[in-house]
Amino acid sequence: MQNITTVPALSVPSTRRGLHFSLWSAQVLVAGVFLLAGGMKLTAPVETLQAQMPWVNGALGGAVRFIGLAEVLGGLGLLLPAATRIAPVLTPVAASGLTVVMVLATVTHLTRGEFEMVPVTLTIGSAAAFIAWGRFARAPIAPRGK
């Protein structure tokens, strides 16, 4: 079995450099998606959200603010722990949580017949799963001071 060592963010071995770059790119993109989407769900008037997202009129409409908060916190969790190297294990934990959010979003859109949203949720969920896998197993970031 391969021995995987945790390395500081700035001293990645050359064999892991490409994966490290790909993970950071995915982290920034996925975090941006969740920060924007979650921020909108937190701040926009409910009437505006109902016009833009049909599910807000449904059973999950009351949960829209909570979902927005979870998305913002998840987006921050993809970036801040890894960037500061303070508890960087929280980055793959956040990515795992966002993967679950996207699986649930996919199920919600399927049950509501909103099939055009399924490729979007699956793509974002797959990217979050890639981040979780990469930061847990292949290219973890060492905490500060190690």
Side-chain angles (χ1 to χ4, degrees):
M1 186 160 117
Q2 183 177 345
N3 184 12
I4 299 172
T5 58
T6 304
V7 295
L10 300 176
S11 64
V12 179
S14 61
T15 57
R16 300 257 189 247
R17 220 169 263 150
L19 179 60
H20 186 70
F21 178 80
S22 297
L23 287 166
W24 267 112
S25 298
Q27 283 170 240
V28 168
L29 291 172
V30 174
V33 167
F34 280 105
L35 289 170
L36 289 172
M40 182 183 68
K41 290 176 186 120
L42 278 175
T43 60
V46 174
E47 298 76 27
T48 302
L49 296 174
Q50 288 172 336
Q52 294 175 349
M53 297 177 282
W55 62 268
V56 175
N57 291 322
L60 293 177
V64 69
R65 301 289 188 206
F66 174 76
I67 293 168
L69 179 62
E71 290 176 348
V72 167
L73 293 175
L76 292 173
L78 289 178
L79 298 177
L80 294 180
T84 63
R85 293 181 40 217
I86 298 172
V89 72
L90 293 177
T91 292
V93 170
S96 299
L98 292 173
T99 301
V100 171
V101 168
M102 287 294 93
V103 168
L104 295 173
T106 300
V107 170
T108 298
H109 290 302
L110 285 171
T111 58
R112 292 181 51 85
E114 299 164 358
F115 303 113
E116 67 280 358
M117 292 305 298
V118 172
V120 174
T121 57
L122 288 177
T123 300
I124 297 168
S126 296
F130 168 68
I131 295 164
W133 166 81
R135 290 301 182 204
F136 270 133
R138 303 296 293 170
I141 295 175
R144 185 180 290 187
K146 286 192 178 184

